[in-house]
Amino acid sequence: MATLGWTWTRFEGLGLQPLYDLLALRARVFVVEQQCAYLDPDGLDDQCWHLLGHDAQGRLLAYLRLVDPGVKYEEPSIGRVITAPEVRGTGAGLALMCEGLARCQDTWPGRAVRISAQARLQRFYGSLGFQAVGEPYLEDNIPHIEMLCPAEHHSGVQR
């Protein structure tokens, strides 16, 4: 896997091209590939940190957003976790989540992190210290489960 270069910024610092690229990647995977007709720009992007992973050619291959505490959940919340299809299985998703958890720890030290995970990825998120809380539910017709990562589990995550 080629090393990804990370950009960590608030919404207002994104710029037009990065914003277009992240919305295009999210639509490519969440709307087209997963066949979910839903409004991806949900009114939360402007209350988030955004983590973008680019390859050496500048292509956006990995992305997540970190929603401020108190906006969606009491805890900071990682969402819209995505890797481009061409880098799946290369470790890009793991690198993305490790970087995201490290940035979360830097931004909100000692805070747990909550996610709404696609149920099929529960084992992956579990390997990062997330634990299922609550019962599975359908979101956009895809099984999901809420998961929580206690601060002590992600404070030592290696970038």
Side-chain angles (χ1 to χ4, degrees):
M1 154 89 204
T3 302
L4 295 176
W6 300 108
T7 300
W8 173 248
T9 185
R10 295 296 288 185
F11 180 79
E12 53 277 354
L14 279 169
L16 291 178
Q17 190 63 53
L19 177 60
Y20 176 86
D21 292 346
L22 76 85
L23 290 173
L25 180 60
R26 286 172 18 180
R28 177 181 171 201
V29 174
F30 297 137
V31 177
V32 177
E33 181 183 319
Q34 295 181 357
Q35 300 178 347
C36 288
Y38 77 108
L39 185 60
D40 175 52
D42 60 358
L44 296 180
D45 285 315
D46 63 346
Q47 300 171 72
C48 297
W49 284 94
H50 299 268
L51 180 62
L52 298 87
H54 294 90
D55 66 7
Q57 290 74 45
R59 294 176 300 173
L60 179 63
L61 299 176
Y63 167 83
L64 63 74
R65 72 179 185 185
L66 184 56
V67 184
D68 291 347
V71 173
K72 190 170 180 182
Y73 302 109
E74 178 183 322
E75 306 85 3
S77 173
I78 292 177
R80 299 296 199 264
V81 178
I82 190 168
T83 56
E86 57 271 24
V87 295
R88 291 194 194 132
T90 67
L94 179 61
L96 173 66
M97 280 301 298
C98 287
E99 186 70 22
L101 286 168
R103 299 289 182 141
C104 187
Q105 176 62 25
D106 292 347
T107 307
W108 296 288
R111 297 289 304 263
V113 179
R114 190 171 296 267
I115 60 173
S116 174
Q118 289 187 7
R120 67 181 181 83
L121 297 171
Q122 186 173 347
R123 196 168 93 197
F124 168 73
Y125 290 114
S127 73
L128 292 165
F130 285 90
Q131 302 160 0
V133 292
E135 296 298 318
Y137 57 93
L138 282 180
E139 183 176 315
D140 301 315
N141 224 19
I142 296 174
H144 280 70
I145 188 146
E146 229 174 86
M147 300 184 80
L148 189 67
C149 184
E152 60 270 12
H153 285 281
H154 68 81
S155 61
V157 169
Q158 297 298 310
R159 287 183 165 135

